[in-house]
Amino acid sequence: MTNATKKYLDSYKVVCPSLTKEELNFIAERTSTSELKSKTFYLKKDQVQREMSFVYQGLLRSFYIDDKGSEITIQFIREGEYVADYMAFITQKPTKFYIQCIEPCILVNISFLTIQDAYSNFKNFENYGRKIAEAIVVNKQNRIESFLFENAESRYLNFIKQNPSLVNRVSVTHLCSFLGIERQSLTRIRKKLQTK
């Protein structure tokens, strides 16, 4: 078993400690590992995502292209997280998003069909799937509320607080896009914070 697969299985046990050795082996036997270079697309608009991937190493971003041709970053996906357009994945419909590697990545992949088999054969996997789905809903709701109830400075400060390891790993362009602010505004915010 590779280090990447072991880390992936460990992540299952963190979320759902009741998973048995048999259940974990069921998953371990059905995973694959892949390596992607920086700037490689993991997923492109209109593709159907047949596998979900766990990030063992690296960083990706999810984005869409607006009607002006601008890339709007909606998510950064780092070690220990899943790479997926979750709604499109669970419905097996074409995605509206792009997912691209920011850094070289090592991914552990599991197919949609394997996940469905795990749900059908093992009750603990249903529990695991529910917990992951709940976490995704909470993250999406927090992101929506940040745009509704926080100003640009608060969004930036919260990003730094919640993602200290990402600050030096993402470009200013991608960060501004994610936060929904202009580059000049971020420069002003940073200068203001330095003088405090």
Side-chain angles (χ1 to χ4, degrees):
M1 182 184 305
T2 67
N3 288 338
T5 303
K6 184 179 183 309
K7 184 78 170 177
Y8 176 51
L9 295 178
D10 288 346
S11 77
Y12 271 85
K13 291 188 281 188
V14 169
V15 175
C16 193
S18 58
L19 282 164
T20 66
K21 187 173 182 180
E22 177 192 7
E23 291 165 333
L24 292 170
N25 284 339
F26 179 87
I27 292 297
E29 292 168 0
R30 291 162 177 81
T31 61
S32 65
T33 305
S34 57
E35 295 187 27
L36 300 178
K37 295 178 180 178
S38 177
K39 298 186 181 178
T40 302
F41 280 93
Y42 172 85
L43 188 66
K44 290 184 178 179
K45 182 183 175 190
D46 296 326
Q47 287 183 330
V48 176
Q49 184 178 1
R50 303 294 184 193
E51 293 182 322
M52 180 182 284
S53 299
F54 173 85
V55 183
Y56 172 68
Q57 182 180 308
L59 181 66
L60 304 94
R61 74 179 179 111
S62 177
F63 66 94
Y64 68 94
I65 299 175
D66 68 12
D67 55 6
K68 296 175 184 173
S70 300
E71 295 180 1
I72 310 299
T73 301
I74 60 163
Q75 184 183 18
F76 297 107
I77 308 153
R78 63 185 152 200
E79 292 88 356
E81 297 179 342
Y82 283 102
V83 187
D85 172 3
Y86 193 71
M87 292 302 291
F89 179 73
I90 62 174
T91 58
Q92 285 295 277
K93 291 183 177 176
T95 183
K96 297 175 182 174
F97 301 98
Y98 297 85
I99 301 178
Q100 186 179 31
C101 298
I102 294 175
E103 300 171 352
C105 293
I106 299 174
L107 307 173
V108 180
N109 314 299
I110 184 166
S111 73
F112 175 81
L113 293 176
T114 296
I115 292 170
Q116 297 309 308
D117 284 347
Y119 289 165
S120 298
N121 292 307
F122 303 102
K123 186 172 179 61
N124 276 331
F125 278 117
E126 285 186 340
N127 185 31
Y128 177 81
R130 178 182 56 81
K131 288 180 177 181
I132 292 296
E134 288 171 353
I136 289 167
V137 169
V138 168
N139 286 339
K140 286 192 181 289
Q141 186 66 24
N142 285 339
R143 178 144 170 79
I144 291 167
E145 290 184 9
S146 75
F147 281 96
L148 293 175
F149 304 116
E150 297 172 1
N151 61 28
E153 183 177 325
S154 295
R155 287 198 300 277
Y156 174 65
L157 288 171
N158 285 335
F159 178 83
I160 292 172
K161 182 180 178 184
Q162 295 164 8
N163 306 282
S165 68
L166 293 187
V167 175
N168 295 320
R169 295 172 69 185
V170 300
S171 71
V172 173
T173 300
H174 294 160
L175 181 57
C176 287
S177 171
F178 177 77
L179 296 173
I181 59 178
E182 296 294 327
R183 194 181 188 103
Q184 306 92 300
S185 298
L186 181 58
T187 300
R188 281 196 299 272
I189 290 167
R190 285 176 162 173
K191 282 183 180 175
K192 178 183 172 186
L193 294 172
Q194 285 173 356
T195 59
K196 282 187 175 180

